[in-house]
Amino acid sequence: MTLSLKAITKKFGGRTILHNLDLNVGDGECVALLGPSGCGKSTALRLIAGLDQPESGSISIDGTEMNNVPAEDRRVGMVFQSYALFPHLSVRENLELGLRMRGSHGAARDQRITTILEVLQLSHQAHQRPAQLSGGQRQRVALARALLRDPLVYLLDEPMSNLDAQLREELRPELKRLMLGGSQPVVYVTHDQQEAMALADRIAVMRHGRIEQIGTPRELYHHPATSFVAQFIGRPQMNMLSAGQGQTLGIRPEDLRFDPNGIPCEVESREWHGASQMLLIRCARGQLRLVCPGDQQIGENPHVSWLKTSEHLFDDQTGQRIDD
C-alpha cells in the first residue's frame, strides 16, 4: 500500500498554502510532516482525507487517484487533535456508530469492538461518556475508532498535543505498536520534533507550504540541508555564528566541549535537566548554548572549543548547506 501526492497546490482566499507539494509514503512507512504553525502540514492532511480539494495536482492511494473520491469512501483512518467524539454517546456507542454507518452489524461487530477495547485498556470505560474520561483515555478512544475503520491509510493530526508530557510518553509505544506496525502508510502531523523523531521513519520538514527537506531523523540531524532545518531539528537549538565571507557556522550544543586552550566564555545562565544541563554562555563571537553532563562542575568563566568535523556551514543569503 502506498500514498502519493504529486504537484499539489492549495489556495485559500488568494493565498497559496501549498506550492507544488510532492510526497510519497511507502508500504507500512510513517512520514511525519513537521513544521511551525501555518506551514501547510494540516492542510496537506485534509487534502489526503478528502476534506478539502487541491487547486492542482493528484493524490493517489495504491495507484488509484483519489481526487474525485468523496471523503467517506477513501478509507482513511484519521485521528484529530480534538478527539472528535460524540459527547452524548458512551465509548462503545462512539465506536459502534462508525461501524454501523459502514454496514457492520451483529456479533462480529460487537466482538471487534470488545477486542479493540481490551487492546487499548478501555474495557472498564466502555459505558462511560467522553466527559467522564481522562485526556489519555479519550485519545485512546479516538485511536480505537481509527483502527476499527480498517483503513488503507492512517492520518494523524497533532493527536497528542492536548496531552501532558507524561501521557504523551505513555501513549507513544501504544501508537507505534497499533498503527505503525502494519502495511498502511501513516502520515503524522506535528510541530513537536521530539515526537516526530521518536515515531517517524522519515520526517518532511515544511516551511511556507514547501518541503524544505525530507529524510530519516538521523539524516536531518547530522546533515541538515538548510539553516532552517538545522535549527528546527535538535533541542536545544543549534548555535549559529557568523563565519564571514557570507557564511554562517552551525555548532550543536552537545558538540561544544570544555578546553583550557579554547575560546574564553562567561556563563550567563544554567538549566539543570537531571542527566544533563544546558548552559547559556557568551564569548567574543556571540552567545552559545552548551550541553554537558548534569553532574559536571563548571566555573563561571570556562573555555570551550569544538571539532572541525562537527561544523555545519550555510550560505547567509539562501540558507543552503555548504559542503566542504
Side-chain angles (χ1 to χ4, degrees), residues 236-283:
Q237 197 176 68
M238 181 184 281
N239 296 299
M240 293 296 189
L241 300 170
S242 174
Q245 299 180 325
Q247 298 178 356
T248 295
L249 171 67
I251 300 290
R252 294 220 177 266
E254 53 272 32
D255 288 332
L256 290 172
R257 58 184 184 174
F258 297 109
D259 177 358
N261 299 314
I263 302 169
C265 301
E266 177 185 351
V267 176
E268 294 190 334
S269 67
R270 305 168 191 252
E271 292 180 7
W272 189 71
H273 300 152
S276 66
Q277 56 182 314
M278 196 273 285
L279 274 62
L280 198 62
I281 59 178
R282 184 168 292 280
C283 66

Side-chain angles (χ1 to χ4, degrees), residues 130-194:
Q132 298 172 283
L133 306 177
S134 68
Q137 289 168 337
R138 275 178 276 178
Q139 193 56 278
R140 285 192 184 98
V141 179
L143 291 176
R145 186 178 52 199
L147 289 165
L148 285 169
R149 287 208 68 175
D150 194 20
L152 301 176
V153 176
Y154 284 119
L155 306 175
L156 295 94
D157 191 5
E158 304 269 13
M160 293 192 281
S161 63
N162 288 336
L163 307 180
D164 61 40
Q166 184 175 339
L167 267 176
R168 287 201 299 270
E169 287 184 12
E170 289 175 5
L171 273 178
R172 260 186 226 149
E174 291 183 25
L175 193 62
K176 203 159 191 173
R177 176 172 58 89
L178 292 168
M179 286 194 172
L180 310 185
S183 61
Q184 299 94 335
V186 179
V187 182
Y188 193 106
V189 163
T190 182
H191 65 273
D192 184 333
Q193 58 102 19
Q194 184 178 5

